Amino acid sequence: MTGLAQEKIWLAGGARLSGEVTISGAKNAVLPLMAASLLTGGECIINNVPRLDDVLVMLSVFKELGVTADFCGHRLRLDCRRVRPAAVDPRVLGRIRASNLILGPLLARFKEAEIGACGGCSIGSRPLDLHFAALEALGARILPLENGYFAFARDLKGAQVTFPFPSVGATENMIMAAALAQGRTVLSGAATEPEIVELAAYINAMGGKVTGAGTPIIVIDGVKSLHGASYTVIPDRIEAGTYLLAGALSGGEVFLRRARKAELAALLSTFDAMGVNWRETADGLWVKGGRLRSTDIVTAPHPGFPTDLQPLLTAVLCTAQGRSTVRETIFENRFTYVAELKKMGASIQIRDNCAIINGVPALFGADVAAGDLRAGAALVLAALAAEGESLISGVEHIDRGYEDMVPKLSALGADIRRVKLRAQAV
Ligand code: UD1
């Protein structure tokens, strides 16, 4: 028997949250911006970078690629002059799905790239077929390796590409590959997420020519080379959604500094249906909870309800008055956390890709385990509302995507802390 120190989150529910929380930079915008920095040998500076594990793992990938990085506070300086495009151990690449975003920029600049087999993850199989088909339309060839893929091209040439589904990652990879391709690329059926708009703006700040980002048709005119740039990333809309839902659930009043209404429209109209009060101010969003009503939502690509907030909304609806339905249309396996919510007294049935939630008067504290990032955040929200104490394991998933979640909730009045427990392994 060995004693392994395992970190968990301990939480005593019932606190009414109040006060102010500052929203960090957007994880899902920073990762593609980091990847796009590989398009140039010039110095790139990204400001407002959240200090969280996905960024640190991406930096370990960059280190193996030969990138010099200086991450000080929330300012990340990248020097990609001496990049070795196929030098990364596929096992390191496999640790973070977003590492597939190095494919487009490395192909564009060096005409070759290697990525790891990111494989499936707990929320779904997550294949890369849309990335590969689009890059092949530009002239790339992709060969499977034992632990990943090798991509190469003699030249990348602009093309007309239509996505059958608006994949966020495939749209990002194509914008980066086409930025240095010969001639014009027109992407139809592209993803319209705010993070795509950020990537296009960053590439344009580097001297690129990308128009139409934020709409389903994006036009990229390839340029011969790109230069370094300095850019400040937008606030994280999913982190903002998390604290909005936490405020609504606890019945308190919370102000989210830097949160922006435009990127959270789907959640805010759901709040209107649920009877949650919210208001936009000059520098953020304010939310006030109360007795919540049930609602019905369907996840969809932007501007629809974001799949990344689906587990968190389900957790909040557990104690809303009446029967709610939450239908998941983006990932095929995103309800695994429901079994954990049931341990806390939730009444939820899963039928196909739909959760049917019957609101209960109260949840109760329990020992629960997070299987992925947003599932972890959902369990934290449920524990905030629950009567009694909860212990949440799988904290490493939460650390992937939230900067300082425990101190931020604690500052809002939650009775929450990280604890190190000796797990007994046999
Ligand atoms: C990004 C976000 C993730 C979010 C998701 C959907 C980052 C780092 N991650 O992930 O948080 O949940 O968008 O908003 O930005 N698909 C294919 N073939 C492909 C690519 C995707 O079938 O080649 C499928 C996926 O399996 C999934 C769906 O399309 O079912 C959406 O995936 P996609 O939009 O590509 O998500 P990611 O870019 O991986």
Side-chain angles (χ1 to χ4, degrees):
M1 195 166 67
T2 45
L4 298 170
Q6 201 192 13
E7 208 162 7
K8 299 193 182 194
I9 289 176
W10 175 91
L11 222 164
R16 194 171 276 242
L17 301 188
S18 73
E20 177 179 321
V21 60
T22 298
I23 302 306
S24 300
K27 166 180 93 71
N28 287 354
V30 164
L31 297 172
L33 261 53
M34 289 173 72
S37 307
L38 294 166
L39 287 164
T40 177
E43 183 185 68
C44 292
I45 293 169
I46 310 174
N47 299 303
N48 199 29
V49 175
R51 297 197 73 92
L52 39 81
D53 283 359
D54 268 10
V55 169
L56 300 178
V57 175
M58 192 72 159
L59 276 175
S60 66
V61 169
F62 271 43
K63 202 171 158 202
E64 289 215 15
L65 281 171
V67 176
T68 309
D70 174 24
F71 191 14
C72 184
H74 292 96
R75 183 176 183 269
L76 176 61
R77 195 180 61 79
L78 296 169
D79 175 347
C80 302
R81 256 174 303 182
R82 281 177 284 275
V83 167
R84 301 179 299 271
V88 189
D89 182 338
R91 282 168 302 187
V92 177
L93 290 168
R95 282 176 57 203
I96 176 172
R97 176 162 168 97
S99 68
N100 65 53
L101 292 174
I102 66 175
L103 191 57
L106 291 181
L107 254 178
R109 184 162 155 216
F110 300 101
K111 308 290 179 284
E112 64 172 48
E114 209 172 295
I115 56 162
C118 302
C121 66
S122 57
I123 61 173
S125 60
R126 307 187 83 171
L128 292 172
D129 55 324
L130 301 175
H131 299 239
F132 293 164
L135 292 168
E136 279 167 355
L138 296 185
R141 288 196 59 200
I142 310 218
L143 303 176
L145 303 172
E146 197 185 338
N147 288 316
Y149 299 91
F150 178 66
F152 63 99
R154 196 199 292 214
D155 285 308
L156 293 184
K157 291 205 172 88
Q160 306 253 356
V161 173
T162 301
F163 286 116
F165 176 84
S167 156
V168 174
T171 301
E172 290 168 345
N173 248 329
M174 271 302 275
I175 293 174
M176 292 187 277
L180 291 179
Q182 292 168 22
R184 171 170 283 196
T185 297
V186 180
L187 299 181
S188 306
T192 61
E193 268 70 359
E195 293 76 21
I196 307 277
V197 178
E198 283 293 277
L199 176 63
Y202 183 59
I203 291 178
N204 288 342
M206 297 163 84
K209 290 187 180 160
V210 185
T211 54
T215 77
I217 299 182
I218 301 177
V219 178
I220 307 123
D221 285 307
V223 295
K224 283 215 154 40
S225 65
L226 293 166
H227 52 72
S230 175
Y231 195 85
T232 300
V233 79
I234 48 168
D236 194 310
R237 63 193 169 102
I238 305 300
E239 190 202 23
T242 303
Y243 292 111
L244 283 171
L245 284 159
L249 174 75
S250 77
E253 278 190 53
V254 176
F255 177 65
L256 289 85
R257 188 166 295 282
R258 295 191 191 154
R260 307 192 311 187
K261 174 184 160 191
E263 288 139 20
L264 287 157
L267 175 64
L268 294 172
S269 62
T270 305
F271 273 2
D272 291 340
M274 293 168 67
V276 177
N277 287 308
W278 63 273
R279 188 162 38 87
E280 188 183 29
T281 70
D283 49 357
L285 286 170
W286 171 92
V287 67
K288 185 171 186 294
R291 189 80 185 102
L292 305 179
R293 292 195 295 266
S294 59
T295 191
D296 303 301
I297 67 113
V298 180
T299 64
H302 193 75
F305 194 93
T307 175
D308 286 352
L309 288 177
Q310 178 264 99
L312 294 102
L313 181 70
T314 302
V316 171
L317 290 173
C318 287
T319 47
Q321 217 164 15
R323 188 177 126 126
S324 302
T325 58
V326 172
R327 188 175 298 278
E328 172 62 49
T329 69
I330 307 293
F331 292 107
E332 69 266 31
N333 193 25
R334 205 161 199 181
F335 283 123
T336 50
Y337 64 89
V338 163
E340 303 303 299
L341 289 179
K342 283 182 171 177
K343 289 182 194 164
M344 303 175 87
S347 169
I348 308 177
Q349 280 175 290
I350 302 293
R351 283 214 199 110
D352 301 323
N353 63 343
C354 189
I356 301 153
I357 306 143
N358 284 304
V360 290
L363 294 177
F364 302 96
D367 283 12
V368 288
D372 67 78
L373 166 58
R374 305 303 170 187
L379 295 177
V380 169
L381 291 202
L384 275 174
E387 290 174 9
E389 298 178 13
S390 294
L391 206 50
I392 302 167
S393 60
V395 176
E396 67 280 6
H397 296 295
I398 296 174
D399 291 340
R400 275 189 43 219
Y402 286 93
E403 183 177 57
D404 293 338
M405 180 189 254
V406 170
K408 282 183 180 183
L409 284 172
S410 176
L412 291 175
D415 194 0
I416 183 171
R417 58 181 177 266
R418 295 173 80 110
V419 289
K420 272 207 171 113
L421 298 177
R422 286 223 161 265
Q424 298 209 322
V426 277

